[in-house]
Amino acid sequence: MQKTNPSLFFVEGEAPGAPGLKGSRCLGCGQTVLLQVAACPRCGQRELDTVCIGQRATLGESAEVFHSADGFEAPYFIGMVATEQGPCTFAPIAAPPGTALRVGMPLRFCLLPRPDGRVGFAYAPAENGA
C-alpha cells in the first residue's frame, strides 16, 4: 500500500495501535510529539520510542474549503485536531459538504483510499463520542 505521506502516518500492521499518526514518546520525561524526532523538545533526551498516536482526537477550529487541492475535491473541511496524546495538527476532516462541525467535537482517525491507488488519512466525526 503506497501512502501519500509515509513519514506522517501508519497504516494497519505497521505499528501497535495503527492506523494513526506517527509520533515520538520521550523515555525520559514522557513527552509525546508528532512525527519521529531525534531529541525530545522538552528535555533534550535522545532516547525516544516511535509510537502510533491520534486514533482519537478533538476538533478545534475548522473551515470548509472551496478550492480543490491534491487528492481533495472541493468542497472539503480542514481543521485543527488535538490528539488524545496531546500533539495538535491541521488535518482534513472527512465530513459531507455543509456538515455543522463544532469545536470540541470528538473525532476518529481514518484512512482514505485515493483514486490514484495511494492511501491518505483524515479525521471523521466520531459516532456517539467513541
Side-chain angles (χ1 to χ4, degrees), residues 10-27:
F10 292 114
V11 296
E12 293 94 349
E14 288 187 317
L21 298 173
K22 285 188 180 180
S24 297
R25 182 172 299 121
C26 178
L27 297 178

Side-chain angles (χ1 to χ4, degrees), residues 4 22 27 30-31 33 44 50 56 60 78 89-90 92 99 103 115 124 128:
T4 56
K22 285 188 180 180
L27 297 178
Q31 174 77 21
V33 297
T50 299
R56 291 188 299 202
I78 190 148
T89 189
F90 280 100
T99 299
V103 172
N128 301 323

Side-chain angles (χ1 to χ4, degrees), residues 7-71:
S7 64
L8 187 56
F9 65 98
F10 292 114
V11 296
E12 293 94 349
E14 288 187 317
L21 298 173
K22 285 188 180 180
S24 297
R25 182 172 299 121
C26 178
L27 297 178
C29 71
Q31 174 77 21
T32 300
V33 297
L34 187 62
L35 303 175
Q36 291 177 278
V37 297
C40 176
R42 179 189 286 163
C43 71
Q45 170 83 267
R46 292 190 174 274
E47 293 182 36
L48 300 109
D49 280 336
T50 299
V51 293
C52 184
I53 64 172
Q55 297 88 342
R56 291 188 299 202
T58 303
L59 182 64
E61 296 295 328
S62 63
E64 192 166 6
V65 179
F66 295 97
H67 298 281
S68 297
D70 180 35

